Amino acid sequence: MAIQAAAVQAAPFAEDQLGAIDRLLAGASAEQLQWLSGYVAGFHAARLGRPAPAPAPAAPVPPPAAKAPLTILYATESGNAEALAASARKAAARLGFAAKVLDMADATPAEAAKAGNLLIIASTWGEGDPPQRAEAFYAALMEDDAPSFGGVRFAVLALGDRAYANFCETGRRFDERLAALGGERVAERIDCDLDYEAPAKAWLDARLGDFAPRGEQTAVIHVDFARAEAAEPAFTRARPFAAEIASMVNLNSSRSTAETWHVELSLEGAAIAYEPGDSLGVLPCNDPALVDEVLRAAGLEAEAALRSRLTDALDITTLSAGQIAAYAALTGDAEVAALAADPARSAAFLRDRQLIDLLSLAPVRLSAEQLTGLLRPLPPRYYSVASSRALVGEEAHLLVSAVRWESHGRQRRGVASIDIAERRKPGERLRLFLKPNPHFRLPTDDRPIVMVGPGTGVAPFRGFLQEREATGAKGRSWLFFGARQFTHDFLYQLEFQDWLKSGVLSRMDVAFSRDQPEKIYVQTRMWEARRELFAWIADGAAIYVCGDASAMAKDVHATLLRIVADQGGMSEDAAVAYVRGLQQSGRYLRDVY
């Protein structure tokens, strides 16, 4: 220290000047230091009136090492796979990959076959189907003339829902097909349930490096989901907003067989910037009566802390084949073991049964850890926003159908819908967060729109029409709405009639299935209006469908194909290609569940 102090005192610079020089030099490259040395020498020579010395030849700068390419191809329906792909790209870039992200809607198998390194993140929709935006890619990949994937190194991350029999089916088929086409699997596929964040993160942490060129080591780096969420609202599934219920109104008459609640929520102070077409994820509570029944069946009635977890945090309704196998191992019961060992019997048992049915089949006393080990986290329920912020301000409106049914001698009740319909009142709060849906948006211009939304499927279209009213949009709009009976089930009837009078809504066709002997549905009205509907499509209209995926959406899709073939004079194959073109150009959009 004494020598350093002496040097500073002897130097022709003050100590703060030396510090500044040190900081400048510390951040300089070798090439910059060489240039700086020549500059100082030249400056000094100029001060003394001497010619500057010739600069030393610059050392050659080695070319940057080529980065290994990585294509991240995603298939998404609700946005989870897309968000995960964005997180994976950032992590891959930090590992040194030249990573890019592609939506399957914008790619072909021929392009994917040239990727070299290919990470597929794919959701499964409904009963094992690919997401609608990935249908064309999926169909082409499964064709006999699909390209070879020889030379492609790939891995698949699959997203799904164990409540469905064909869990992660789309990801599984992608994985098998790429291998059959000659691709090299660099990592075993992972199948993720609705609580996908933690397992997906762990898999990406461990597996992204497998794409590095052979013989090269990659640094260990963690996928940072927080970075991907940095631009998102502060309220998420992990940190929900407690929104106050401002009002609740049952839109069905007292004589209706349905019960549909219009729920107005205050978002004051939340800054939840939703857009028409987005959804809100609601974190519900389980039915206290069902919680008690599950605890009794497991011999755990006295566990107060466990009761709280079963009410607020764990899924006690979903039943899967994996749970049957796990319960067989826990109980050692021969009947449950036989059920788990027979896929056909297991599938039949799962049909419209829940966890309580399994526990009641072979009641045994479980520990709290054994019971919770059978359960997954309680997933949120998503509801399309039925309002526009441009018209309602710091509010969000939801349309919630109370779900009740009977099966196998038990009365069943929806989780979130009954939590709202029976156990919530104005002044109480709902935990929620925004679920953006960028693939279900109004056009940015005044092009015509056709909306098909029976039942609660009409919710986002109320938001669309509120938005067009508030912004003064001039585009034509046509709504197909369906319900059971005109008198008892015409949701938002007065509002739609007012929009028809003002011109915000250009046309409305309704279908009430139980008002006459023959069943009339929205697809019936579409076919009846096929000439005008095809003219709207030819004029550039965007078509939106929202509602039930299992029946309505399939029937509407089939009817649309018939209309295109009939009015366009096309073959069946040509009609399929035409409708697929509408999808790929963003003019045929579905939000189905």
Side-chain angles (χ1 to χ4, degrees):
M1 293 295 293
I3 295 174
Q4 182 180 9
V8 169
Q9 289 173 359
F13 293 102
E15 185 173 357
D16 59 338
Q17 291 175 312
L18 285 174
I21 295 171
D22 284 343
R23 288 191 295 273
L24 174 65
L25 297 181
S29 66
E31 186 179 11
Q32 289 170 326
L33 287 172
Q34 188 176 35
W35 179 89
L36 186 61
S37 175
Y39 175 83
V40 171
F43 180 81
H44 180 62
R47 289 278 298 268
L48 298 177
R50 300 173 184 167
V61 178
K67 293 184 176 182
L70 176 61
T71 297
I72 303 170
L73 189 61
Y74 68 86
T76 191
E77 187 74 38
S78 62
N80 291 339
E82 182 175 6
L84 194 54
S87 297
R89 185 199 64 77
K90 292 182 180 180
R94 295 197 296 276
L95 278 170
F97 289 99
K100 66 177 180 179
V101 171
L102 278 177
D103 186 340
M104 281 189 191
D106 304 321
T108 66
E111 293 167 340
K114 300 174 183 176
N117 291 320
L118 181 64
L119 171 61
I120 287 185
I121 302 177
S123 294
T124 294
W125 192 246
E127 299 298 336
D129 299 321
Q132 63 162 341
R133 291 177 56 78
E135 286 174 350
F137 183 96
Y138 177 88
L141 189 70
M142 299 302 165
E143 291 288 348
D144 292 339
D145 62 352
S148 168
F149 275 72
V152 175
R153 306 169 73 230
F154 75 91
V156 176
L157 190 161
L159 302 178
D161 182 348
R162 289 191 187 277
Y164 292 90
N166 297 313
F167 174 60
C168 286
E169 181 74 3
T170 298
R172 181 187 68 79
R173 289 179 181 171
F174 277 134
D175 187 48
E176 293 177 352
R177 185 60 173 159
L178 292 180
L181 292 171
E184 178 190 347
R185 185 185 291 112
V186 300
E188 290 300 314
R189 184 186 77 250
I190 181 174
D191 295 339
C192 300
D193 200 358
L194 296 181
D195 54 335
Y196 67 89
E197 290 93 342
K201 176 185 185 303
W203 187 87
L204 288 168
D205 280 349
R207 300 273 69 95
L208 274 177
D210 293 343
F211 286 104
R214 290 180 178 84
E216 291 190 11
Q217 297 292 323
T218 58
V220 175
I221 193 164
H222 297 297
V223 179
D224 188 354
F225 286 93
R227 292 192 183 206
E229 295 174 357
E232 295 181 3
F235 299 102
T236 64
R237 176 177 174 176
R239 302 180 302 277
F241 176 68
E244 182 178 352
I245 299 174
S247 70
M248 293 177 59
V249 179
N250 181 5
L251 299 182
N252 302 98
S253 81
S254 59
R255 295 172 58 191
S256 174
T257 57
E259 184 182 322
T260 312
W261 291 88
H262 171 78
V263 183
E264 298 188 358
L265 301 164
S266 171
L267 301 182
E268 187 174 354
I272 295 179
Y274 69 85
E275 296 185 41
D278 288 343
S279 297
L280 290 179
V282 173
L283 298 175
C285 294
N286 282 310
D287 182 353
L290 182 59
V291 171
D292 289 341
E293 194 173 0
V294 168
L295 288 170
R296 282 195 301 271
L300 295 167
E301 301 96 317
E303 297 282 347
L306 180 58
R307 181 185 305 277
S308 176
R309 289 189 66 199
L310 294 190
T311 300
D312 297 333
L314 295 173
D315 186 350
I316 60 172
T317 56
T318 301
L319 183 61
S320 67
Q323 286 174 306
I324 295 176
Y327 194 61
L330 278 177
T331 63
D333 183 86
E335 183 178 357
V336 179
L339 181 63
D342 186 333
R345 282 189 60 200
S346 179
F349 183 83
L350 288 171
R351 201 165 295 124
D352 213 7
R353 281 189 173 90
Q354 297 175 329
L355 176 73
I356 189 61
D357 298 279
L358 177 63
L359 298 179
S360 301
L361 182 63
V364 296
R365 181 175 180 82
L366 301 175
S367 69
E369 292 75 17
Q370 287 173 326
L371 177 58
T372 57
L374 290 171
L375 308 178
R376 67 176 184 176
L378 180 60
R381 269 50 173 184
Y382 295 101
Y383 293 95
S384 297
V385 181
S387 56
S388 161
R389 289 188 302 132
L391 199 66
V392 304
E394 290 189 272
E395 291 182 4
H397 302 171
L398 303 181
L399 191 58
V400 180
S401 175
V403 178
R404 302 180 185 88
W405 76 103
E406 182 179 348
S407 69
H408 303 290
R410 287 183 178 274
Q411 296 296 322
R412 317 282 180 172
R413 297 145 70 82
V415 178
S417 68
I418 298 303
D419 186 28
I420 293 170
E422 295 187 1
R423 297 191 294 275
R424 304 289 178 170
K425 297 181 181 131
E428 296 185 2
R429 294 183 179 270
L430 277 180
R431 297 176 300 159
L432 53 81
F433 60 95
L434 177 64
K435 178 71 169 178
N437 190 354
H439 303 301
F440 201 75
R441 292 271 191 262
L442 273 168
T444 55
D445 54 18
D446 279 344
R447 74 171 60 239
I449 58 173
V450 177
M451 302 165 285
V452 183
T456 55
V458 80
F461 304 137
R462 181 177 183 262
F464 280 14
L465 294 171
Q466 283 191 352
E467 180 80 4
R468 283 199 155 184
E469 177 185 354
T471 60
K474 303 301 182 186
R476 292 178 296 158
S477 56
W478 186 348
L479 174 64
F480 289 90
F481 171 75
R484 290 186 176 183
Q485 294 182 294
F486 173 89
T487 305
H488 307 301
D489 305 313
F490 197 159
L491 308 179
Y492 300 122
Q493 178 184 0
L494 296 180
E495 291 185 28
F496 290 133
Q497 289 175 337
D498 286 343
W499 279 322
L500 283 168
K501 290 178 184 175
S502 68
V504 171
L505 182 58
S506 308
R507 176 170 175 173
M508 183 174 187
D509 286 30
V510 295
F512 295 100
S513 61
R514 309 298 170 86
D515 276 351
Q516 61 285 311
E518 72 279 9
K519 297 291 177 60
I520 296 178
Y521 300 109
V522 287
Q523 60 266 25
T524 312
R525 298 304 189 204
M526 291 172 63
W527 179 251
E528 291 171 351
R530 59 190 177 277
R531 187 169 65 84
E532 299 96 325
L533 183 53
F534 187 74
W536 278 51
I537 296 171
D539 195 32
I543 306 165
Y544 299 85
V545 180
C546 183
D548 170 57
S550 61
M552 182 278 297
K554 292 179 180 178
D555 292 340
V556 166
H557 184 77
T559 301
L560 182 60
L561 289 172
R562 285 179 63 209
I563 291 171
V564 168
D566 179 80
Q567 294 296 303
M570 303 180 196
S571 66
E572 183 178 338
D573 288 344
V576 168
Y578 183 92
V579 171
R580 188 166 287 163
L582 293 177
Q583 289 177 310
Q584 292 176 328
S585 63
R587 289 180 51 209
Y588 177 29
L589 307 164
R590 298 191 299 176
D591 183 11
V592 297
Y593 39 83

